[in-house]
Amino acid sequence: MSLEIADIITNEPLPQVSSHILYPWLLPGRLTLMVGATNIGKTTLTLEIIAQLLKGDHLWERYPAKKITKVLYLHGEHTIATLQEAAKVRGDISPGIVSVIHDFGSLGSSLLDSSGKITPLYPALRQIVLDIKPDLLIAEPISAFLGVSENDNREVRAVVSLLSSLGASVGAAILTHHHVGKSHFDPEVTKPDGIPAGEARGAMAFEDAAERVIYLKRSGKRESNHIRIETPKAKGFPVSPVTVSFDEDTLTYSHVPVP
């Protein structure tokens, strides 16, 4: 009888992380902020994440993903048809799983009014969250839910807190989008008070209040379909950057191995 010899690297089991629904980015009851320039792919990448979470297993055969059954998508940007068409092109998101609120009607999409008070939208959303019990709550973009200004740190913190509270009420992870600012993230660049300059537009509180911050950046030439995902703020553990390639025909992403 001969003994089999296996390589510890090529046969290494994929990691399993029980607390996250998507390791290392989405954690129940916690808010993750995805920051990127207009048209870089925040929405299509979010659909990629949703599709993988509905299947479970591993995103891009690398990142542990728990199988989920319900998603609530608060969509305050573009038209709902754009979102629906993208999901239809993908073809792997079944009906009855992702509930979308796009028209906020007379309530408006702001969670705070001009005086900083909670608007009637919050209790209305809270009831929907309690009824649906989503595993993942998406708010796109976070600026749509502000009452006055994205440059007001106090208001930004309050809205982040309200969105986090909505998710925490049912143990849902929260993913929200924000646009890039004029300056780009550079750990060597600091503000006068010593706080590292971030990439998110507006108040620094967007990044300070979030549990995780994900930056989407073009990798290489401007017309490149490669997107680099950076997670400089990960609350206690390092996350290596990852590059993915976007397929414009299928609206899907694939991992690009590091040479």
Side-chain angles (χ1 to χ4, degrees):
M1 176 181 177
S2 60
L3 298 177
E4 291 186 6
I5 300 176
D7 187 274
I8 191 172
I9 300 300
T10 57
N11 289 277
E12 183 181 25
L14 289 167
Q16 302 296 322
V17 181
S18 60
S19 57
H20 292 70
I21 67 167
L22 177 62
Y23 182 86
W25 295 298
L26 298 178
L27 195 62
R30 307 295 177 85
L31 183 142
T32 296
L33 179 71
M34 181 185 290
V35 181
T38 300
N39 295 326
I40 197 169
K42 295 186 291 295
T43 299
T44 51
L45 183 59
T46 296
L47 291 176
E48 175 90 356
I49 289 171
I50 290 172
Q52 183 61 60
L53 287 170
L54 296 179
K55 293 183 291 186
D57 201 11
H58 290 75
L59 176 65
W60 306 317
E61 299 183 356
R62 292 172 60 86
Y63 304 103
K66 276 189 174 181
K67 183 178 176 62
I68 66 174
T69 58
K70 287 290 182 181
V71 178
L72 178 59
Y73 206 130
L74 308 180
H75 191 258
E77 192 173 45
H78 311 305
T79 65
I80 191 171
T82 301
L83 186 66
Q84 291 170 327
E85 288 167 4
K88 186 176 181 179
V89 169
R90 288 192 58 97
D92 54 2
I93 299 177
S94 302
I97 302 260
V98 181
S99 300
V100 182
I101 298 178
H102 176 70
D103 184 358
F104 296 90
S106 61
L107 291 177
S109 63
S110 300
L111 290 170
L112 296 173
D113 63 20
S114 58
S115 64
K117 294 181 179 179
I118 295 174
T119 67
L121 176 64
Y122 178 76
L125 287 178
R126 182 177 173 82
Q127 187 57 56
I128 291 173
V129 167
L130 292 175
D131 291 341
I132 294 178
K133 294 181 174 58
D135 303 291
L136 175 63
L137 173 65
I138 300 164
E140 176 190 359
I142 191 171
S143 57
F145 302 95
L146 296 171
V148 179
S149 171
E150 61 186 23
N151 294 303
D152 187 323
N153 279 296
R154 180 178 296 180
E155 181 179 10
V156 169
R157 288 193 185 94
V159 168
V160 168
S161 177
L162 289 173
L163 289 173
S164 298
S165 177
L166 285 175
S169 66
V170 292
I174 308 98
L175 175 62
T176 186
H177 300 174
H178 191 46
H179 295 295
V180 69
K182 292 182 179 180
S183 62
H184 294 282
F185 178 79
D186 184 350
E188 301 302 321
V189 178
T190 57
K191 291 181 176 292
D193 57 1
I195 299 175
E199 188 174 345
R201 189 176 68 190
M204 282 298 296
F206 281 111
E207 297 176 13
D208 293 340
E211 179 76 14
R212 304 274 189 276
V213 180
I214 301 171
Y215 293 131
L216 305 187
K217 300 182 179 181
R218 295 286 179 195
S219 182
K221 297 179 181 179
R222 185 178 181 84
E223 63 273 15
S224 171
N225 65 345
H226 286 189
I227 303 297
R228 182 178 170 90
I229 303 173
E230 298 182 1
T231 315
K233 177 185 176 182
K235 290 284 178 79
F237 58 91
V239 178
S240 299
V242 59
T243 299
V244 294
S245 177
F246 178 61
D247 187 318
E248 293 184 359
D249 293 327
T250 62
L251 304 186
T252 60
Y253 292 80
S254 58
H255 176 250
V256 178
V258 177

